[in-house]
Amino acid sequence: MKPAILPMKNNQKPQPKAGVLQIAPYVGGKSSAKGKRVVKLSSNETPLGASPKAISAFTDIGVSLHRYPDGTSIKLREALAEVYSLPVDQLVCGSGSDELIGLLVHAYAGSGDEILYSQHGFLMYKIYAQGAGATPVTAPEKNLRTDVDAILAAVTPRTKIVFIANPNNPTGSYISSSEMKRLHNGLPGDVILAIDDAYSEYATDIADYTTGQELVETSENVIMLRTFSKIYGLAALRVGWAYAPASIIDALNRIRGPFNVSAAAISAAAAAVRDTAFTENARQFNKKWLAWLSDELKKIGLKVYPSIANFVLVEFPKGKHSAANANIFMMENGLIPRDVASYGLPDCLRISIGLEEDNRAVVQTLTDFLKQ
């Protein structure tokens, strides 16, 4: 006999906690467009793919898919410790750096707290803050660069975490090592400085740029976040990592899922990080074509913001040659850029660095667009 279904009282139904329904869901870069040959330049994926060693390690896992992965990701943490000279017990791995951002917010912020980031910072900072019931707070930028003084001026007794993407997505800009230290020195000791270094592997030859590693080594309130989705070419596997003081690592380990990184991701990422020759080749390829694409787009009259990542932010004039119309024209010609209106940049498109033929196609297509 089936149990009776109780009627709803006063049209009641479950309600999510405060803040959830105010979240505008994250929308990733588009993946489809017109044309026989479609070039996706909307998600900052490396055009060179993953290291053959990483692909081989991924394939080898196929015979043990019935086994749970190691819940501590020890093989990956050991590889990271080896390559970056880090203490293995101060590393934690996640399903992309996105998960680690979410865990950090969940562990340290809630209702009545504030999460602070720059005006055009990564959209997931706001989303995770709202999901935790905290208040997202933005600080204005200067010329699409993080303004340290504005960040410090926005800190209140309710601030729990300050997120700085360095290099920043979608602008490609960065703040120097000295400015990052000045920011850290201006923060209260109980406020976490989360340095999101998702694109840092592309910036190793920038003289005044450093990752968050140095500040973590000398502080108790800094965490460095990294990903395998960019230069390592493992976006499909969703794997990231963080380096932080033992107390922060302990907090994250207490709330993360017991098997949050798959065996395939652990194995492939460990092989990828050890293949330093492949990574260096990808870095040099990007350096060459980032400079070329920036210069060529400037030559045809477009404003290109300086970038040290693997993409360029391009500003278009208003009117018939607007960013919105350029987006349509590129899509009609098989090129997929990233619309960044959701970042407060409606006059811009973000374009990832592609293969040589892709980059040349971008310049030719936008040349044709501007001649309309």
Side-chain angles (χ1 to χ4, degrees), residues 271-344:
V273 76
R274 285 192 170 107
D275 193 351
T276 54
F278 185 88
T279 306
E280 181 59 25
N281 178 64
R283 181 182 296 112
Q284 294 304 322
F285 178 92
N286 184 77
K287 180 180 180 180
K288 172 184 177 180
W289 289 103
L290 174 67
W292 183 89
L293 184 61
S294 298
D295 290 343
E296 293 300 312
L297 291 177
K298 290 175 184 176
K299 288 178 183 178
I300 62 174
L302 294 171
K303 181 174 182 178
V304 181
Y305 288 92
S307 172
I308 64 167
N310 68 333
F311 58 85
V312 291
L313 184 71
V314 184
E315 185 174 316
F316 292 80
K318 298 183 185 300
K320 65 179 182 179
H321 292 144
S322 68
N325 288 336
N327 186 30
I328 294 171
F329 191 85
M330 291 180 73
M331 295 278 286
E332 289 176 343
N333 285 274
L335 299 172
I336 310 175
R338 181 66 154 96
D339 180 342
V340 287
S342 59
Y343 281 93

Side-chain angles (χ1 to χ4, degrees), residues 100-110 115 125 128-129 132 134 161 163 252:
L100 296 171
I101 293 169
L103 290 174
L104 186 67
V105 172
H106 181 50
Y108 287 94
I115 302 296
Y125 305 150
Y128 281 124
I161 305 172
F163 281 104
L252 298 182

Side-chain angles (χ1 to χ4, degrees), residues 228-287:
F228 279 89
S229 295
K230 305 307 176 188
I231 202 168
Y232 292 113
L234 299 180
L237 290 182
R238 309 306 303 124
V239 55
W241 60 284
Y243 170 46
S247 59
I248 295 179
I249 295 296
D250 177 58
L252 298 182
N253 277 326
R254 289 173 184 271
I255 61 172
R256 69 174 177 82
F259 305 107
N260 62 326
V261 183
S262 73
I266 292 170
S267 184
V273 76
R274 285 192 170 107
D275 193 351
T276 54
F278 185 88
T279 306
E280 181 59 25
N281 178 64
R283 181 182 296 112
Q284 294 304 322
F285 178 92
N286 184 77
K287 180 180 180 180

Side-chain angles (χ1 to χ4, degrees), residues 74-301:
I74 185 60
K75 290 184 178 179
L76 176 52
R77 290 190 295 123
E78 287 176 344
L80 290 165
E82 172 189 319
V83 172
Y84 289 105
S85 300
L86 299 172
V88 70
D89 58 350
Q90 286 182 235
L91 303 174
V92 63
C93 299
S95 178
S97 56
D98 284 6
E99 183 196 23
L100 296 171
I101 293 169
L103 290 174
L104 186 67
V105 172
H106 181 50
Y108 287 94
S111 179
D113 298 327
E114 294 176 349
I115 302 296
L116 177 59
Y117 51 94
S118 63
Q119 180 180 2
H120 301 295
F122 186 35
L123 289 177
M124 292 307 299
Y125 305 150
K126 178 179 180 180
I127 289 174
Y128 281 124
Q130 291 175 304
T135 301
V137 178
T138 59
E141 297 181 0
K142 284 185 178 179
N143 300 318
L144 301 191
R145 295 172 64 99
T146 297
D147 184 342
V148 170
D149 291 321
I151 291 282
L152 292 175
V155 173
T156 75
R158 295 185 296 277
T159 305
K160 297 299 180 184
I161 305 172
V162 175
F163 281 104
I164 301 294
N166 202 38
N168 186 57
N169 171 30
T171 60
S173 61
Y174 73 102
I175 61 173
S176 67
S177 174
S178 60
E179 281 292 274
M180 189 69 80
K181 289 178 181 177
R182 186 167 74 86
L183 171 59
H184 177 249
N185 290 337
L187 294 176
D190 60 348
V191 174
I192 293 175
L193 175 59
I195 304 174
D196 187 349
D197 282 340
Y199 298 90
S200 62
E201 290 87 0
Y202 292 108
T204 55
D205 59 351
I206 305 298
D208 60 346
Y209 171 84
T210 56
T211 68
Q213 182 173 335
E214 181 181 348
L215 281 178
V216 174
E217 291 170 348
T218 58
S219 311
E220 290 296 322
N221 65 333
V222 180
I223 181 172
M224 177 180 72
L225 300 154
R226 303 284 281 269
T227 182
F228 279 89
S229 295
K230 305 307 176 188
I231 202 168
Y232 292 113
L234 299 180
L237 290 182
R238 309 306 303 124
V239 55
W241 60 284
Y243 170 46
S247 59
I248 295 179
I249 295 296
D250 177 58
L252 298 182
N253 277 326
R254 289 173 184 271
I255 61 172
R256 69 174 177 82
F259 305 107
N260 62 326
V261 183
S262 73
I266 292 170
S267 184
V273 76
R274 285 192 170 107
D275 193 351
T276 54
F278 185 88
T279 306
E280 181 59 25
N281 178 64
R283 181 182 296 112
Q284 294 304 322
F285 178 92
N286 184 77
K287 180 180 180 180
K288 172 184 177 180
W289 289 103
L290 174 67
W292 183 89
L293 184 61
S294 298
D295 290 343
E296 293 300 312
L297 291 177
K298 290 175 184 176
K299 288 178 183 178
I300 62 174

